Each structure stands twice: as C-alpha cells, then as structure tokens.
C-alpha cells in the first residue's frame, strides 16, 4: 500500500479505506504524461457533456472488455500501481484518462461492478477536491458505472484534496458503500471535512486549472473476440 494511509488518530475522520500519496510522480514525469495525453490521436477522445476522456486497454462493457495494448508511456505507471499489489493476484489492465477544465466535474456516482473494487488515480496539471457521500436506500446500482441523481439529499462524509502528481487509492467500504463526486466549480474551499488539509487553514480557496486524471483499474471480465451489439428488429 502507499505509505501515507490516512492517520485516523491525527485527522480524526480519515477512513481506513483511502490512501493518499503526494508527489507519487515527479514534475518531469507529469510534464511528459501531459504531452503524451495531448498527443493522442483525436479519435481517442470521447466528448461527454461535462468533460472528455480517453480509454486505454479497451472499452469496459458488461459482456466483457476486448483487451487492447496499453501504450508504453502509460504502462510505466500501470506497473508502478501493480507493484503496490492493490488488486490481489490481478493486474491493472485499463486506464481511463479524464480531462477536467475549470468549472467541470462529475455527479455523485459509483464505479460499479465492471471493475475490481479498487480505484487508483494519478492527478496531473491541477488539484481538485473529491467528495464522498453516504449512499441512500433509494440509490440503485446497475451493471455499469452508476451516475446517480445529484438533487437527492445526501450527507457528505469527507473530502480529499487531490494535488498534482499525487496518487489516490479508494477501496473496501469507501468503494462499495459511498458515492464520490467532483463539484462543477472553478475553485475549491478547504473545509473541516478535507481530511488531508495538513496545515492549510479552513476557508482557504484554491483556484483550479485544467486537470488530467489517470484512473488505473483492473477489469475482471475480458473477451478475446469482438462484441457485436444488435438491436432487436
């Protein structure tokens, strides 16, 4: 595991299922990764309503992901994560690259059963704040990434400041029984729920820049043959 598991005795409310490693990579590595992300062929980018992304290793699907090779510029960091032995006897085989411009975020959601229940994320270019919420009885998890309505009243249990070049690991109860989200805002305020604020004063405001996240995961169900989806006639 990363060496900086939250010290619950120090923070008072840090969960035993989140690990945060600042400066997991160097500034030079960050610069090189950003260059490679933005040098990717245009067809690799998928445009969503609030952000754009790239899939490397294949496209996760309930019927199985057709495994594809991951480029060498990403494999170095996939190997670094694999060396932490976070996936049991499995190895990471998928990297999701997300681009968040200032003001962009993602609604409360779970990553769902398509993935081994461990999230590892390297942040590049800018900080963000990841918020965690209690799950409601009315929340429903389907067979893919579940993005749930944001207008329901949920209790925020904690926030984690994700700094550039850091690694975050989320697993166990925090993966299964909590939702996570990023607010659609151009700045973030440090609060008493920011469990890794260190010496930063409550109320300090941080301005966002463009952030790239590398989410490195294991997709258990893979297929060696193409998946053909046919509509009923």
């Amino acid at each position: 595991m990363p060496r900086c598991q939250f010290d619950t005795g120090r923070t008072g409310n840090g969960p035993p299922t989140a690990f945060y490693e600042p400066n997991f990579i160097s500034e030079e590595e960050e610069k090189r990764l950003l260059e490679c992300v933005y040098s990717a062929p245009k067809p690799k980018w998928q445009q969503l309503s609030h952000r754009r992304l790239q899939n490397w290793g294949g496209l996760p699907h309930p019927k199985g992901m057709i495994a594809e090779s991951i480029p060498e510029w990403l494999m170095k960091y996939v190997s670094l994560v694999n060396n932490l032995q976070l996936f049991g006897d499995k190895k990471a085989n998928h990297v999701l690259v997300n681009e968040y411009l200032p003001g962009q975020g993602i609604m409360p959601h779970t990553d769902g059963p398509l993935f081994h229940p461990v999230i590892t994320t390297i942040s590049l270019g800018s900080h963000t704040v990841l918020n965690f919420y209690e799950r409601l009885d009315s929340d429903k998890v389907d067979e893919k990434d579940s993005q749930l309505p944001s207008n329901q009243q949920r209790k925020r249990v904690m926030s984690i400041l994700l700094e550039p070049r850091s690694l975050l690991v989320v697993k166990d109860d925090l993966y299964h029984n909590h939702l996570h989200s990023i607010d659609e805002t151009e700045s973030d305020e440090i609060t008493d729920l920011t469990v890794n604020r260190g010496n930063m004063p409550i109320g300090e405001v941080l301005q966002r820049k463009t952030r790239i996240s590398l989410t490195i995961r294991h997709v258990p169900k893979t297929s060696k043959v193409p998946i053909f989806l046919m509509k009923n006639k």
Side-chain angles (χ1 to χ4, degrees):
M1 293 293 184
R3 67 172 182 274
C4 49
Q5 177 179 0
F6 287 118
D7 181 350
T8 55
R10 176 172 59 82
T11 64
N13 57 352
T17 49
F19 301 81
Y20 178 74
E21 179 77 39
N23 298 312
F24 182 70
I25 63 173
S26 68
E27 290 186 14
E28 185 60 34
E29 288 176 303
E30 177 187 38
K31 179 180 178 182
R32 174 59 178 159
L33 279 167
L34 288 170
E35 289 174 350
C36 290
V37 166
Y38 286 110
S39 296
K42 287 186 178 180
K44 286 298 296 184
W45 286 104
Q46 178 185 354
Q47 184 67 53
L48 304 183
S49 58
H50 297 283
R51 68 190 189 283
R52 60 176 183 161
L53 57 81
Q54 301 173 9
N55 279 283
W56 295 96
L59 186 63
H61 189 276
K63 292 186 177 180
M65 180 179 78
I66 304 300
E68 300 174 356
S69 60
I70 296 175
E72 186 61 33
W73 58 271
L74 279 174
M75 273 307 302
K76 175 182 177 180
Y77 302 96
V78 171
S79 296
L80 284 176
V81 169
N82 281 332
N83 289 341
L84 300 174
Q85 299 182 336
L86 296 166
F87 306 101
D89 60 349
K90 309 298 182 182
K91 299 291 185 182
N93 59 359
H94 182 262
V95 182
L96 178 65
V97 177
N98 275 300
E99 179 192 59
Y100 292 94
L101 304 179
Q104 293 182 334
I106 187 169
M107 295 169 59
H109 68 286
T110 68
D111 280 27
L114 285 185
F115 305 97
H116 185 86
V118 175
I119 304 169
T120 68
T121 301
I122 298 173
S123 294
L124 310 172
S126 176
H127 84 279
T128 198
V129 170
L130 191 65
N131 301 309
F132 290 87
Y133 297 87
E134 289 182 346
R135 187 189 288 277
L136 298 178
D137 291 339
S138 59
D139 291 335
K140 179 182 178 181
V141 179
D142 62 23
E143 293 302 314
K144 58 183 178 181
D145 279 14
S146 300
Q147 189 146 300
L148 305 169
S150 62
N151 57 355
Q152 299 185 28
Q153 296 299 314
R154 297 186 178 86
K155 179 182 178 182
R156 183 184 299 190
V157 297
M158 59 175 284
S159 299
I160 301 177
L161 172 64
L162 306 184
E163 300 164 294
R165 301 179 296 281
S166 67
L167 172 72
L168 175 70
V169 179
V170 174
K171 61 193 295 286
D172 300 332
D173 179 77
L174 199 59
Y175 182 98
H176 291 290
N177 297 319
H178 293 80
L179 311 181
H180 56 276
S181 71
I182 296 173
D183 290 343
E184 294 184 334
T185 180
E186 295 187 0
S187 63
D188 295 288
E189 181 177 347
I190 300 301
T191 73
D192 59 345
L193 291 179
T194 311
V195 294
N196 61 330
R197 64 182 180 272
N199 295 324
M200 299 179 67
I202 292 175
E204 181 166 345
V205 176
L206 305 175
Q207 297 296 322
R208 289 187 190 172
K209 300 177 183 178
T210 298
R211 172 177 173 263
I212 293 291
S213 64
L214 309 179
T215 300
I216 301 171
R217 294 179 287 198
H218 173 71
V219 179
K221 190 173 182 179
T222 60
S223 176
K224 295 181 180 180
V225 296
I227 300 171
F228 296 99
L229 301 178
M230 299 184 64
K231 295 182 178 180
N232 294 327
K233 294 184 178 180

